[in-house]
Amino acid sequence: MKSVLIRVRLIYFFAVMMTMAAGLASRHYGDRLPNWVYEHSGDALWAGMIYFGVRMVWPRSSLVWAMCLSCIFSWMIEFSQLIQTPWLIEIRSTVWGALILGHGFLVIDLIRYTVGILCMVIIDRYFLRNKMAGS
């Protein structure tokens, strides 16, 4: 049973890494992508990475629980951008701070996060969970 749990966590770890790579690539190669993909994919992939991270930490949780926790976390990060204190602005001015905390509140980001998480739930439900159950 323990080896199955390790294997499941490893699958989600690779999903986190692949999603992170796709998100960074969407920013780096944005000039080669259609404008709507460049505008929306980074935030959607960031939230999808959060979803897979939640699944990695709590692999026995339900898809709905992981989806809700990921949405709450992502939305809290976005709403935290309404707080503009000097120390938070300083953190957000770094590359890692900007990647994790963002810069300014945008309502569209809440939609992007939700869509990204829903897409990853579908991938999880129909691809990842079936692969894990089949092995």
Side-chain angles (χ1 to χ4, degrees):
M1 184 66 172
K2 190 173 182 179
S3 65
V4 171
L5 192 58
I6 291 170
R7 183 174 178 272
V8 168
R9 283 193 166 126
L10 193 57
I11 289 169
Y12 284 120
F13 172 77
F14 284 120
V16 166
M17 292 294 114
M18 289 174 56
T19 307
M20 186 185 307
L24 292 171
S26 76
R27 296 296 190 211
H28 185 72
Y29 299 107
D31 58 336
R32 298 179 186 156
L33 297 171
N35 196 38
W36 68 271
V37 173
Y38 172 72
E39 285 182 16
H40 303 293
S41 64
D43 291 319
L45 288 164
W46 180 87
M49 179 195 66
I50 297 300
Y51 171 80
F52 285 135
V54 167
R55 297 294 289 150
M56 182 179 68
V57 174
W58 293 286
R60 293 183 180 138
S61 65
S62 71
L63 294 177
V64 172
W65 183 88
M67 178 182 66
C68 290
L69 182 61
S70 302
C71 278
I72 289 168
F73 179 84
S74 299
W75 280 44
M76 284 177 59
I77 292 290
E78 189 65 25
F79 280 107
S80 79
Q81 294 170 18
L82 294 170
I83 302 168
Q84 297 294 322
T85 62
W87 65 273
L88 266 175
I89 293 169
E90 189 173 327
I91 291 171
R92 290 182 182 123
S93 70
T94 67
V95 172
W96 285 105
L99 286 172
I100 296 168
L101 298 176
H103 287 287
F105 177 83
L106 294 172
V107 173
I108 189 71
D109 284 349
L110 302 174
I111 297 166
R112 292 171 181 152
Y113 297 155
T114 304
V115 169
I117 290 168
L118 288 172
C119 289
M120 298 311 166
V121 168
I122 291 168
I123 289 170
D124 191 6
R125 170 68 176 95
Y126 292 104
F127 297 100
L128 297 181
R129 287 181 69 105
N130 286 343
K131 291 283 185 203
M132 289 183 258
S135 300

